[in-house]
Amino acid sequence: MQNERVLVLVTGGSGYIAINIILQLLEKGYAVRATLRNMTRQNEVKTMLRNGGLSNFSDLSFVQADLSSDDGWQAAMQNVTYVMHVASPTPATTTQTNDEIIQPAVDGVLRVYQAAKLAGVKRIVLTSAFGAVGMGTTKSGPYTEEDWTDISNTKHPYQISKTAAERAAWQFIAEHGENMEMTAINPVGVMGPILGKDFSHSNQTVRQMLSGEMRRVPKLSSGYVDVRDVATLHILAMENPVANGERFLATTGETLSMVEVASILKKHFGAKAEKVSTKEIPNWLLRLLAHLGSSSQLKMVGTLLGKNMTTTNQKAVTLLGWHPRSAETAIVATAQGLLDQQIV
């Protein structure tokens, strides 16, 4: 690795957003060190990067580190100028208690921040979520970066964990940060190209629609954003002095219902979208199924029925000059990727 290149540590290097960040950092001439929980995934990461158009891996290295352990983090931070903290602990799907999701998320953030502080890192860009902005509250207008999820009124542990982790990060900076800077990025539903088998929760919606698993669509609305634009926003937030101490919603500013998402798929994919349903499931029935069932996804959907999910990207556009693709472009790219990778 060439020493004169600025070194950026990207945590959770095999993840959907992380892969796109690594791709763009390398294209911009940064050196990247990516953390992996399991070093056997190095070739898989390189394959995804190759699928994204990368051919030169000379400025990419890997290091083993896990958010649940102190091991490896000090070594990971050596000579690092910036940290993209994208990784998030992935609890077992059988998780019973909120603490099994929430506490590891908080501990993981503090572990990374403490190691970064000791190593003299200049700035951390934290990948948070809309789940830390707009849950447990009611609002008539669009959600902005000023808004915070009310965890006392939020049922889903994932959203509580994202909120608690981001709050812990800001608190660490306020109390121990000294010269270390921080920015948080809060994406809505992340769509876009799929470069391998590792993709986002939001992509699962499109997969379920295309496969015919989703026989009726919930009456839900959501914001969407392309993963390539989420990666670009992380880098703008890393490079730009005005981003220090700020949060940025990663959203196109559009809000689409699930029926509108289904209609986009039908419009663009014809026969390949023949299993996509545009029939809605009544709210009372979905609430009943969420109450009776054990699926965490269904329970989460149940908490979002009738919720205002409108967002604005004015801050990122104005302060950082960010210009995302349309939600439709992102959704079409997801579907194309699922088809190309033969996931559907």
Side-chain angles (χ1 to χ4, degrees):
M1 189 178 290
Q2 296 169 18
N3 292 331
E4 69 271 17
R5 293 195 188 276
V6 173
L7 179 59
V8 183
L9 181 75
V10 180
T11 68
S14 62
Y16 186 56
I17 294 173
I19 287 288
N20 283 272
I21 292 173
I22 293 168
L23 203 52
Q24 291 186 27
L25 284 169
L26 291 169
E27 283 168 356
K28 288 198 77 174
Y30 289 97
V32 175
R33 183 184 292 152
T35 73
L36 295 172
R37 280 185 301 161
N38 188 338
M39 293 295 270
T40 60
R41 297 195 72 183
Q42 290 178 68
N43 285 337
E44 186 186 340
V45 170
K46 286 181 177 177
T47 299
M48 289 191 272
L49 292 169
R50 235 178 248 113
N51 290 342
L54 187 73
S55 54
N56 180 0
F57 295 92
S58 59
D59 287 314
L60 173 66
S61 59
F62 297 96
V63 62
Q64 187 163 13
D66 187 321
L67 290 176
S68 65
S69 163
D70 290 337
D71 297 347
W73 286 107
Q74 274 313 122
M77 296 288 173
Q78 290 266 299
N79 304 316
V80 166
T81 304
Y82 301 106
V83 173
M84 297 284 196
H85 183 33
V86 196
S88 182
T90 46
T93 49
T94 53
T95 297
Q96 296 302 312
T97 67
N98 282 6
D99 287 346
E100 286 176 75
I101 295 181
I102 298 157
Q103 201 54 51
V106 172
D107 293 346
V109 157
L110 294 178
R111 195 164 265 128
V112 169
Y113 274 56
Q114 281 157 354
K117 172 79 190 328
L118 283 170
V121 165
K122 181 181 179 185
R123 181 179 292 183
I124 299 182
V125 180
L126 173 72
T127 311
S128 186
F130 176 69
V133 174
M135 299 299 154
T137 59
T138 51
K139 193 176 180 182
S140 53
Y143 284 92
T144 74
E145 290 81 0
E146 300 297 312
D147 295 306
W148 277 92
T149 285
D150 176 0
I151 58 176
S152 66
N153 196 30
T154 302
K155 293 189 177 72
H156 202 275
Y158 171 77
Q159 291 157 346
I160 299 171
S161 77
K162 285 310 236 187
T163 310
E166 191 190 332
R167 286 229 184 251
W170 286 116
Q171 189 177 344
F172 181 91
I173 291 292
E175 293 175 3
H176 312 290
E178 294 171 17
N179 297 329
M180 192 165 76
E181 300 175 346
M182 170 181 167
T183 307
I185 306 295
N186 300 74
V188 291
V190 181
M191 296 281 181
I194 290 171
L195 305 175
K197 302 294 184 224
D198 218 314
F199 48 91
S200 80
H201 300 304
S202 306
N203 298 148
Q204 290 286 3
T205 306
V206 175
R207 186 193 64 74
Q208 288 167 345
M209 285 181 173
L210 287 171
S211 69
E213 280 173 48
M214 198 180 288
R215 293 196 292 271
R216 284 177 178 252
V217 296
K219 292 184 179 180
L220 286 186
S221 293
S222 182
Y224 295 100
V225 64
D226 194 294
V227 68
R228 292 165 290 189
D229 297 319
V230 175
T232 301
L233 185 53
H234 276 75
I235 295 168
L236 288 169
M238 180 186 92
E239 293 177 333
N240 203 313
V242 300
N244 178 35
E246 303 290 349
R247 307 169 88 200
F248 292 95
L249 272 166
T251 173
T252 67
E254 304 160 88
T255 312
L256 300 180
S257 69
M258 296 283 254
V259 168
E260 287 173 308
V261 174
S263 300
I264 286 169
L265 296 176
K266 284 198 167 300
K267 177 175 118 185
H268 287 271
F269 293 95
K272 288 176 182 169
E274 64 184 0
K275 292 179 184 169
V276 176
S277 171
T278 52
K279 290 180 184 158
E280 289 187 315
I281 182 169
N283 284 357
W284 67 266
L285 180 55
L286 191 58
R287 283 195 180 101
L288 181 66
L289 293 170
H291 178 67
L292 296 175
S294 59
S295 161
S296 64
Q297 189 184 11
L298 206 54
K299 287 190 189 304
M300 186 162 164
V301 167
T303 65
L304 300 178
L305 292 173
K307 178 160 176 53
N308 164 29
M309 300 286 270
T310 56
T311 51
T312 173
N313 62 16
Q314 274 314 106
K315 187 174 174 182
V317 169
T318 309
L319 270 189
L320 301 180
W322 182 63
H323 296 291
R325 298 161 178 81
S326 69
E328 182 164 346
T329 300
I331 290 161
V332 169
T334 293
Q336 192 60 59
L338 289 166
L339 293 163
D340 291 346
Q341 293 281 337
Q342 299 178 327
I343 295 164
V344 175

